[in-house]
Amino acid sequence: MTAKYPSARRRITAASLTLPLILAFAAQSAAADETSADTAATTADAPEQVEGGSYGGDIVVTARRRAETAQDVPIAISVVAGDQIDNTGSFNVGRLQQLAPTLQFYSSNPRNSAVNIRGIGAPFGLTNDGIEQGVGIYVDDVYYARVASATFDFLDVAQIEVLRGPQGTLYGKNTTAGAINITTNQPTFDFEGKAELSIGNLNFKQAKAAISGPLTSNLAARIAVSATSRRGTLYNVTTDRWVQSQDNIGLRGQLLWRPTDNLDVTLTGDWNKQDAVCCGSVFVRTGETQRPLNRQFAALAAAQGYVVPSTNPYDRLTDLDANLNAGNEIGGVALRVKWDVGPGTLTSVTAWRYWDWQPENDRDFTGLPIVTKSQNPSQQNQYTQELRYNYSGERFDFVVGGFAFHQRIDTQGTEQHGPASSRWTINPSNPLSNDPSVLDGLTAINTQYLKNTSLALFGQLSWKLSDSFTIQPGVRLNYDKKNGYYQRLVYAGDGSAVTADLTDPVSVARLAVFSPQEYAPSFSDWNFSYDLTATWKAAPDILLYATYAKTFKSGGINQNGVPNGADGSPLLAAATIKPESVQHYEAGAKAEFWDRRGTFNLSIFRTDIKNYQANVNNGQFGVLRGYLANAGKVRTQGVEADFSIRPSERFRAYANGAYTDAKYVRFVDAPCPPELSGGSSSPANCDISGQRLPGVSKWALSYGAEINAPAKLLGQDGQVYLGYDGSYRSNFSSNASASAYTWIDGYSLSNFRAGFRTEAGLDVYAWVRNAFDQKYLEQLFMGPGNTGLITGLPGDPRTWGGTIKARF
């Protein structure tokens, strides 16, 4: 298929830009005070760049679409400052989860990624374009509809707010679990800049730079760039290449026009590209299924003389024989207008974004030519418009506004089988299993598109009944419409179309792998969300709050195919998915102590979801990899605590923890786990009511500390420092239905850094991540066809390197 955006075919690598970045910025002076970055001065929506994050301190956030300190916001919120992101190497959402315990990120490739908070947000398994994510991602007020954006490096970020719990009033229907609110550094009317260079083992290279300043008396500009490259962590013995590499590049340019003191107009453009050798997996184990023994992995592999390169996943060896690629490109333009009109502020945010996905995968997870091609290139265009008015008064604060969203996604899929497929896929009792030509070259061509429109009106009021007691009601009226199309055409190796001829054994064998299908699903609905929060300032430094929210996640359509009925036609009843209905209860306390040198926040929550949108499958090899259905009810509840202390300028520490109990309350027709699947008498579905949701650890912790001492090196005044950041998560299931074969053991990670920084803005430090070389798995995958094959993705080994940063 031809890429929709020709630029996606240009190979621009991060490594190729590292040297120009160094040359462009290394010669700049680091003479100005590091604290001169006045992000907030350029736009009231952007928080001031202050020290804090997990370490505490006065942190300004915009969680309620207005600037206020984190301790005054009645929301469970984790805030990570830009400096902490840099210092801890948390340069994307996947690494950010080590600092925010209830944030979970899973990715088998950029498209098949999911971001969850408190165990909910997106169904575990293959991505389906026909539904929304439950965790909204926002960058400078712009909604990013594609979760693939979470795999890119953060670019010139001021801070990140992880809002836990439904945020449906102000952030919309796609925030039933929470939101990630990212604020970047904005243009300034004082000249400033920064540059950063990191190198490490595995040929790791990362360069970042930004420069900002005035062009005229009322026009300022900012340009930022980031580039990362790293050798892969898995070695492919078939292709003699390292896979799971990193290759990211990002650019952002901003213009701020301030014709008067009460009007700001900011134009932003960005472009980001990944071109990694990705994504692979390694053999982990096999597990017995209900298939006959001659149709399970050991027998099937022996029949073709196949031996895995290693049975130890931490040897990091794979033998995938199909091409691997994860070409991923996003970009867009946004115009934000802020106009101070008397006691309030009128804000308009207009944005266009695109996404171009060019993948190649190996979907049989082996070195045999079973599935020789598996790729679903996609292209997205999205348009958003938000208009809101913020008013602040003595007794009343409120936000009212409207939001419009339109998205189109086009996908062109190809899956092709090879000469080993007949022996692997067809029952050995069938003579056709010995004829490679039956399935060799069998190809499915999938064509699909989605048109997604959403319109909303929203409002939130803060009413100060007294100096210490405030109530905050919020409402949102939302309309959604989705129109889709799905077509799968099937061709034999000779190019002829495969039709439903049940009298021909060869045709029957081919249709058991791929079945032609065509349908055009549609969905539309109105929904009303509301919430109510009561806040009591029990003491000057103690805030108590309680929240009830009734919200929803939009219904959807199945865009990856649906099961066929007895007559061979698509089951159209499975083409649409009901909206999730969410009821949420939360209570919390926020306290500062020891002359505001320490903070302690506590929250308890419960979320009940009816018609939870889950991934299911029908257990057949290639007929249908997975589709969406509604589980009856899901519940998540738990306790979260955040603690930070800074007794002096020389020491600071933090500890955050969460206990999450997330389970299916009722799911009676779920996919069966592999140990109950594959046999002629195996149930078509299983009742997994009461089981834990996949991907959820009951216990998650993050903790760290930094100590420093004044020092003078090479004539420069500054301080030497030693920092530590650790995280722990208990075991979790890596399959949609819990299986004895797919539990991932709990693990802990430890990161250290030590360096010297000056008052002038120079920072030089060495770092080691996963310092104790913890061996752990990020995900486990079931091989297709219930053969019992379990593969997985090992987490990064110990990495080490050094970083030099300068501000001027």
Side-chain angles (χ1 to χ4, degrees), residues 415 417 425 444 446 486 488 490 508-517 560-564 617-627 784-785:
E415 188 158 1
H417 280 232
T425 308
N446 300 331
Y486 178 84
R488 179 171 56 217
V490 183
V508 170
R510 290 168 174 167
L511 290 170
V513 178
F514 295 130
S515 175
Q517 196 170 88
N560 290 350
V562 296
N564 283 331
N617 57 66
N618 62 356
Q620 295 173 308
F621 180 77
V623 178
L624 197 63
R625 289 190 291 168
Y627 65 100

Side-chain angles (χ1 to χ4, degrees), residues 287-479:
E288 187 175 343
T289 73
Q290 296 299 306
R291 268 191 166 200
L293 289 178
N294 66 347
R295 301 203 67 196
Q296 297 194 40
F297 181 82
L300 293 171
Q304 300 200 50
Y306 174 68
V307 179
V308 298
S310 174
T311 57
N312 180 359
Y314 302 111
D315 286 342
R316 300 178 181 274
L317 297 178
T318 187
D319 62 349
L320 303 180
D321 59 325
N323 290 336
L324 298 178
N325 186 46
N328 192 18
E329 181 179 331
I330 64 171
V333 178
L335 179 68
R336 181 170 60 183
V337 180
K338 289 188 70 247
W339 184 21
D340 290 335
V341 285
T345 302
L346 187 64
T347 302
S348 170
V349 182
T350 308
W352 163 76
R353 298 205 61 76
Y354 79 91
W355 173 61
D356 193 359
W357 169 234
Q358 296 289 327
E360 293 180 286
N361 303 296
D362 192 322
R363 283 296 175 188
D364 59 47
F365 301 105
T366 73
L368 287 170
I370 302 168
V371 179
T372 56
K373 181 180 291 187
S374 179
Q375 55 194 44
N376 286 278
S378 293
Q379 307 84 39
Q380 180 217 227
N381 276 280
Q382 75 166 61
Y383 303 87
T384 57
Q385 172 64 57
E386 182 167 1
L387 184 66
R388 65 177 183 266
Y389 176 72
N390 293 52
Y391 170 85
S392 295
E394 290 187 8
R395 289 295 180 186
F396 296 96
D397 298 336
F398 65 81
V399 181
V400 294
F403 178 76
F405 168 83
H406 180 74
Q407 172 192 49
R408 167 137 187 171
I409 304 175
D410 291 277
T411 301
Q412 314 83 35
T414 303
E415 188 158 1
Q416 187 174 78
H417 280 232
S421 182
S422 294
R423 187 66 184 87
W424 191 274
T425 308
I426 301 173
N427 193 316
S429 63
N430 187 335
L432 294 178
S433 67
N434 296 312
D435 184 355
S437 67
V438 174
L439 298 185
D440 188 15
L442 181 69
T443 303
I445 304 295
N446 300 331
T447 301
Q448 57 180 283
Y449 70 76
L450 169 71
K451 297 177 182 179
N452 184 7
T453 300
S454 182
L455 304 172
L457 297 173
F458 59 88
Q460 188 181 83
L461 169 70
S462 291
W463 181 13
K464 302 169 188 175
L465 297 177
S466 70
D467 291 341
S468 60
F469 187 69
T470 302
I471 61 171
Q472 177 185 284
V475 295
R476 189 179 188 104
L477 179 65
N478 209 94
Y479 172 73

